[in-house]
């Protein structure tokens, strides 16, 4: 059963703590992406990776970090430097040129 | 700078009616225009997409109309059903920029029974 999995679905953290969100895909896609969605808003790109061991900042990378050590995995760390971390985080992947992006189910992070 | 503008923000349609959502873009370098459907608490799902060399694409009850000269495209949902109630996002993608997607702000559609 191919797809993108994100875990956990809900995550709660105290302010000042770093937290890592998991994203795994078994679609053999080269490119992976992280987006942030705030209530009633569109999606904003945090980071993306087109190939293993390489990643680029998106529009709102400040306060976030990523790694891409394996093709299947692209974890996102929300650091304590992120001023407003409470949001719905979406991971996506794409097989390459001319192909759309496919999204995981999302992780809702709440920081108090 | 919002490169893809989507309207309306919300839309209420009676069951069996036609839902129309419009998007306008500025960057002529966009190569691909997908629409996504998102249900509450779920990730967006790719619904239908079009390339700029095509003026219309139809898949079932969903049709994209594309006007390259006006830099506008729209989603038409025919015979709208309560199960179509969701948030719809238009997007635009640039191939030579890592398949980067630029999203519109979204339209919350409610189809009344």
């Amino acid at each position: 059963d191919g797809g993108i999995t994100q875990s956990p679905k809900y995550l709660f953290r105290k302010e000042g703590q770093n937290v890592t969100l998991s994203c795994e895909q078994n679609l053999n896609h080269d490119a992976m992406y992280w987006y942030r969605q705030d209530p009633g808003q569109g999606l904003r790109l945090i980071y993306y990776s087109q190939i293993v061991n390489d990643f680029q900042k998106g529009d709102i990378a400040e306060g976030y970090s990523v790694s891409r050590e394996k093709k299947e995995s692209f974890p996102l760390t929300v650091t304590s430097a992120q001023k407003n971390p409470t949001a719905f985080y979406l991971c996506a992947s794409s097989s390459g040129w001319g192909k759309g992006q496919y999204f995981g189910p999302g992780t809702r992070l709440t920081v108090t | 700078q919002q490169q893809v503008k989507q309207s309306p923000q919300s839309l209420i349609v009676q069951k069996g009616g036609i839902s129309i959502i419009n998007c306008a873009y500025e960057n002529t370098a966009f190569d691909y225009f997908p629409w996504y459907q998102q249900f509450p608490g779920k990730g967006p799902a790719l619904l239908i997409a079009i390339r700029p060399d095509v003026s219309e694409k139809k898949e079932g009850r969903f049709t994209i109309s594309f006007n390259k000269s006006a830099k506008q495209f729209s989603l038409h949902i025919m015979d709208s059903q309560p199960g179509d109630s969701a948030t719809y996002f238009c997007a635009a993608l640039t191939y030579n920029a890592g398949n980067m997607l630029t999203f519109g702000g979204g339209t919350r559609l409610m189809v009344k029974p």
Side-chain angles (χ1 to χ4, degrees):
Chain A
D1 193 18
I4 304 173
T5 57
Q6 291 185 245
S7 60
K9 188 172 178 61
Y10 299 97
L11 192 54
F12 298 88
R13 281 292 183 272
K14 294 288 188 184
E15 198 172 306
Q17 293 179 335
N18 291 356
V19 59
T20 298
L21 282 59
S22 168
C23 177
E24 304 276 332
Q25 54 99 0
N26 61 5
L27 300 168
N28 200 35
H29 285 175
D30 287 314
M32 296 186 74
Y33 310 81
W34 273 106
Y35 293 89
R36 169 185 173 134
Q37 186 175 32
D38 293 287
Q41 303 293 315
L43 284 74
R44 293 184 290 169
L45 182 66
I46 305 172
Y47 266 98
Y48 67 100
S49 168
Q50 293 181 266
I51 196 168
V52 173
N53 292 323
D54 185 57
F55 48 83
Q56 307 295 329
K57 292 182 179 180
D59 300 322
I60 55 165
E62 186 176 348
Y64 300 97
S65 66
V66 293
S67 63
R68 186 84 187 277
E69 297 176 3
K70 299 187 297 181
K71 188 175 185 177
E72 312 81 55
S73 178
F74 191 39
L76 173 75
T77 297
V78 184
T79 75
S80 57
Q82 168 50 231
K83 291 181 171 40
N84 296 296
T86 295
F88 189 46
Y89 290 88
L90 288 156
C91 178
S93 70
S94 172
S95 60
W97 293 137
K99 305 297 183 182
Q101 292 182 18
Y102 295 87
F103 285 82
T107 292
R108 187 168 299 280
L109 172 65
T110 302
V111 176
T112 57
Chain B
Q1 180 185 2
Q2 187 180 7
Q3 294 191 49
V4 179
K5 295 184 179 179
Q6 185 171 345
S7 64
Q9 285 188 313
S10 62
L11 182 61
I12 300 174
V13 173
Q14 290 294 132
K15 178 182 175 182
I18 302 173
S19 304
I20 302 174
I21 303 171
N22 300 300
C23 285
Y25 63 96
E26 299 165 6
N27 186 354
T28 55
F30 289 136
D31 302 300
Y32 180 76
F33 299 86
W35 284 88
Y36 286 86
Q37 179 189 56
Q38 185 179 29
F39 293 103
K42 306 292 185 184
L46 182 62
L47 189 62
I48 186 172
I50 197 167
R51 289 186 165 76
D53 55 346
V54 176
S55 61
E56 185 176 281
K57 183 173 182 181
K58 183 176 180 180
E59 289 185 1
R61 295 184 295 110
F62 300 91
T63 301
I64 301 178
S65 296
F66 190 86
N67 185 331
K68 189 173 182 178
S69 61
K71 293 189 284 186
Q72 295 176 347
F73 58 110
S74 59
L75 176 70
H76 291 62
I77 306 174
M78 312 300 286
D79 187 26
S80 298
Q81 300 296 313
D84 297 330
S85 298
T87 299
Y88 292 81
F89 292 96
C90 63
L93 181 149
T94 308
Y95 294 158
N96 65 1
N99 263 20
M100 303 289 289
L101 274 174
T102 300
F103 284 88
T107 296
R108 181 173 289 185
L109 171 65
M110 179 186 295
V111 181
K112 289 192 168 182

